[in-house]
Amino acid sequence: MFFDPVPTEQEPVARPELPPWSAPSSLEIGAVLAVERVVARSANVVVLLPTIRVFSTGCMLNVEVVSRQGDLSGEDWWYVQLAGAPIAQAFGRGRRPDSLLRLGVRFADGTKATALEWARPPKSASGDPPVGPLLSWSPMGSGMRGGEFGFSGFGLWLWPLPPAEDFEFAVEWPLGGIELTTVELDGAAIVSASGRSAHYWPDSRQGGAGYAV
């Protein structure tokens, strides 16, 4: 026999849970908070924040970018369509700082976090959690609408939960024609929603809310 028999049983491969500052728990459902805000608009792009999915440890800001080519050059249009893929923008055709979609939050005490640190994930030699707040990209999907229109959807993981007070969500995008623009988000509503976040199975509780039947 050339090949050994294929085993019929295998030991399950344990997949380590990502730390809470990197992503929500994979077993937690989260509570959806409707926002339905147009954050910024220019001649070629619209940045929207339809919903926030709130978990016990943080929240995912679900961002959508709708774009149209209009009078943009072919190269500019290529970069605009990569709004939700900063790694591809940075390494696909050389670095163009004006093409990066800048997103961030700022709390009432002046503390802020931006998504520009995506290339430098927090590290800790001791294994202790990094100092928050942190805002991390979470890719979702993109596509075309009728050839001339583009769509990008992605998440921004904000860890930990914000203070229970209003805070700023900021966007700036030179290539997209968007100057620094801020909208206020309701931190109290986000914190309240975290108490409604459930788990897919009741026996998978890890310190958060139980599954509501």
Side-chain angles (χ1 to χ4, degrees):
M1 181 178 291
F2 188 88
F3 294 103
D4 294 333
V6 178
T8 57
E9 295 184 2
Q10 295 184 2
E11 291 292 328
V13 178
R15 296 185 178 181
E17 180 80 7
L18 292 173
W21 56 87
S22 297
S25 169
S26 58
L27 296 175
E28 193 173 341
I29 300 172
V32 178
L33 188 64
V35 181
E36 301 174 356
R37 297 289 297 274
V38 174
V39 181
R41 179 188 285 115
S42 73
N44 297 100
V45 300
V46 180
V47 180
L48 306 104
L49 183 63
T51 61
I52 298 175
R53 199 176 193 100
V54 187
F55 299 82
S56 60
T57 57
C59 60
M60 187 73 74
L61 310 178
N62 295 317
V63 180
E64 294 180 359
V65 178
V66 180
S67 56
R68 61 183 180 184
Q69 182 168 6
D71 58 357
L72 293 174
S73 68
E75 181 179 7
D76 287 350
W77 176 229
W78 185 86
Y79 276 105
V80 164
Q81 293 176 86
L82 292 177
I87 295 178
Q89 285 196 2
F91 301 109
R93 295 187 179 183
R95 298 182 66 85
R96 278 191 57 179
D98 69 322
S99 72
L100 290 177
L101 174 58
R102 301 158 169 86
L103 297 158
V105 297
R106 181 167 58 188
F107 301 141
D109 65 357
T111 303
K112 65 179 181 178
T114 74
L116 293 179
E117 289 80 25
W118 57 267
R120 300 185 297 277
K123 297 180 180 179
S124 173
S126 63
D128 295 331
V131 177
L134 298 176
L135 194 64
S136 310
W137 289 88
S138 180
M140 291 183 184
S142 62
M144 299 293 293
R145 290 181 174 177
E148 186 187 353
F149 297 90
F151 169 84
S152 296
F154 54 90
L156 294 173
W157 175 242
L158 175 60
W159 176 90
L161 289 168
E165 57 187 349
D166 290 351
F167 66 97
E168 292 180 322
F169 178 58
V171 58
E172 184 179 29
W173 196 6
L175 181 60
I178 294 177
E179 299 180 351
L180 179 61
T181 305
T182 62
V183 296
E184 282 197 347
L185 300 181
D186 188 344
I190 293 174
V191 173
S192 177
S194 69
R196 303 195 305 270
S197 181
H199 288 77
Y200 292 104
W201 293 276
D203 57 4
S204 67
R205 282 191 67 173
Q206 297 179 353
Y211 183 69
V213 179

